[in-house]
Amino acid sequence: MRPTLPELLERIRALRAKAGNARVLLGLVGEPGSGKSTLATSLRHALEADGIPTAIVPMDGFHLANRELQRLGRAGRKGAIDTFDGWGYAALLERLRARADEVVYAPAYERAIEESVGSAIPVPPEVEVILTEGNYLLIPDEPWNRVAALLDEVWFLGLDPEVRRARLLARHVEFGKPPQTAQAWVETVDEANAALIAATSTRADLVVTLD
Ligand SMILES: Nc1ncnc2c1ncn2[C@@H]1O[C@H](COP(=O)(O)OP(=O)(O)O)[C@@H](O)[C@H]1O
Ligand SMILES: [Mg+2]
């Protein structure tokens, strides 16, 4: 499906109608560089322009710290499923689903320093739509299976693989990797993750093809 932004917003409106007074939690999943963060930002702007308080809670905020990755011997494949705190992510989504009276703080991933920063994203109780985006939202094993169970829908974002890899490469270079290192990283680490993620698309509520 190649829906337009207004069509996607209409689908979120339908989810809100179905949810009644409850919050809507929507997941965006896709291979590295498929456009998850970009689409989440566009959706948030459009929803907020409509007067709907919206927050983005990225799975990327649950990257393990670099020193913990070093300790575990996994620094060379940062971005793989075992380099994230999946249990922490699921627990945070549970708190967001429960919609407590207090501000819930989510961590953000800072690409410039390649570390997560805790409590960077405040989610006040009045937030009505939570967009959460990342690689492993549809993995069927614990703890990741808890994630999809907490979400109203999960959309899988598909993008032409050549375009996706080119954008991913450009992003690595933009954030400081030398071009050859970036190319090797895309071909090994990112592509291995991409294969795992692509296999989960059949579990999505909607497959969105992007350009
Ligand atoms: N429609 C688009 N046209 C051109 N570049 C895009 C488009 N959407 C995303 N990008 C760029 O492609 C890269 C990957 O997109 P991003 O949203 O970061 O993907 P993801 O979060 O899935 O890894 C980013 O550098 C982003 O700016
Ligand atoms: Mg992203």
Side-chain angles (χ1 to χ4, degrees), residues 63-178:
H63 267 103
L64 295 175
N66 287 329
R67 66 178 175 197
E68 176 63 359
L69 291 175
Q70 291 286 354
R71 192 185 68 83
L72 294 167
R74 299 176 193 166
R77 53 187 166 87
K78 191 172 180 176
I81 191 163
D82 63 351
T83 65
F84 288 90
D85 175 19
W87 287 100
Y89 179 46
L92 185 83
L93 290 175
E94 265 173 46
R95 286 182 69 204
L96 291 169
R97 172 52 86 199
R99 198 172 188 170
D101 291 335
E102 73 274 15
V103 176
V104 173
Y105 285 97
Y109 186 67
E110 295 290 336
R111 233 172 254 292
I113 55 167
E114 298 192 330
E115 289 278 17
S116 296
V117 176
S119 63
I121 302 170
V123 185
E126 61 267 25
V127 163
E128 289 176 25
V129 175
I130 295 190
L131 304 171
T132 188
E133 49 101 1
N135 287 355
Y136 303 117
L137 276 53
L138 291 174
I139 298 290
D141 315 309
E142 287 244 283
W144 301 98
N145 58 348
R146 295 171 179 242
V147 170
L150 288 160
L151 305 178
D152 294 274
E153 282 198 341
V154 181
W155 300 352
F156 186 94
L157 312 187
L159 179 64
D160 175 81
E162 295 297 316
V163 176
R164 186 179 62 73
R165 279 194 287 267
R167 285 184 191 164
L168 191 54
L169 184 66
R171 193 180 68 193
H172 283 311
V173 172
E174 182 192 340
F175 284 94
K177 279 195 171 63

Side-chain angles (χ1 to χ4, degrees), residues 32-56:
S34 58
K36 302 178 291 293
S37 303
T38 305
L39 180 63
T41 302
S42 303
L43 290 171
R44 181 167 66 84
H45 284 148
L47 289 164
E48 298 231 304
D50 262 0
I52 301 166
T54 302
I56 298 174

